[in-house]
């Protein structure tokens, strides 16, 4: 049974309409937990708590972690936050969430697929050149 482009587009719309599922009972790593707690830990540091005191408190609450590991995970969470902040678009999040590729371009899946195909080469007289790498004799 062959499917059509219209069926694929209809299915794509249904997939986009599905709500997000949040699973708060899934297991997470210590690094993920520290990333979730990073703002609270930063607030404690502003209130003059040391990383050692925070690590001891977390260990007492069931999250066994050393001071060095806590510091490492906090640095990672700060670095990943900076990387994701640079990649965010300048538009508001509401607009970005409601914009689909089809809505943004006004093209259907079939039109986008056709546009992605390389142009047909009818003229075989085009010149092609190869550049030899400076560190090698051959291409």
């Amino acid at each position: 049974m062959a499917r059509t482009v219209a069926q694929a587009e209809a299915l794509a719309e249904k997939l986009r309409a599905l709500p997000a599922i949040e699973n708060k009972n899934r297991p997470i790593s210590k690094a993920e937990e520290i990333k979730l707690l990073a703002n609270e830990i930063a607030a404690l540091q502003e209130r003059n708590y040391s990383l050692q005191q925070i690590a001891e408190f977390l260990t007492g609450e069931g999250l066994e972690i050393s001071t060095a590991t806590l510091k490492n995970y906090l640095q990672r969470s700060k670095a990943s936050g900076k990387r994701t902040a640079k990649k965010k678009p300048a538009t508001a999040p509401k607009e970005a969430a409601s914009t689909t590729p089809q809505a943004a371009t006004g093209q259907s899946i079939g039109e986008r697929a056709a546009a992605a195909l390389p142009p047909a080469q009818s003229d075989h007289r085009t010149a092609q050149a190869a550049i030899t790498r400076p560190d090698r004799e051959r291409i």
Side-chain angles (χ1 to χ4, degrees):
M1 168 172 8
R3 300 209 16 112
T4 65
V5 172
Q7 289 173 320
E9 289 174 349
L11 184 58
E13 283 296 320
K14 288 180 183 178
L15 290 174
R16 282 188 219 100
L18 288 174
I21 297 175
E22 188 172 335
N23 183 2
K24 292 192 180 223
N25 293 324
R26 71 177 174 86
I28 58 173
S29 67
K30 288 181 185 180
E32 288 177 293
E33 190 165 359
I34 296 302
K35 189 173 183 177
L36 290 171
L37 299 172
N39 290 336
E40 287 75 16
I41 293 171
L44 287 173
Q45 287 179 303
E46 288 176 5
R47 293 175 20 211
N48 297 320
Y49 280 84
S50 69
L51 284 179
Q52 182 178 358
Q53 291 171 316
I54 296 168
E56 289 171 0
F57 177 79
L58 293 174
T59 299
E61 292 295 314
L63 175 60
E64 295 183 25
I65 191 164
S66 69
T67 305
T69 302
L70 176 61
K71 182 177 180 180
N72 185 351
Y73 289 166
L74 286 171
Q75 288 173 339
R76 287 185 193 178
S77 71
K78 288 178 185 177
S80 68
K82 289 179 182 177
R83 276 189 247 127
T84 57
K86 291 179 182 178
K87 293 181 180 180
K88 289 184 181 176
T91 60
K94 291 180 182 177
E95 292 176 3
S98 65
T99 305
T100 61
Q102 184 176 0
T105 61
Q107 295 178 328
S108 69
I109 293 173
E111 291 169 331
R112 286 182 294 183
L117 291 174
Q121 293 183 350
S122 59
D123 184 16
H124 295 288
R125 293 177 288 172
T126 59
Q128 295 181 353
I131 300 173
T132 305
R133 290 178 41 176
D135 61 333
R136 296 195 178 174
E137 294 179 16
R138 299 172 70 181
I139 296 175

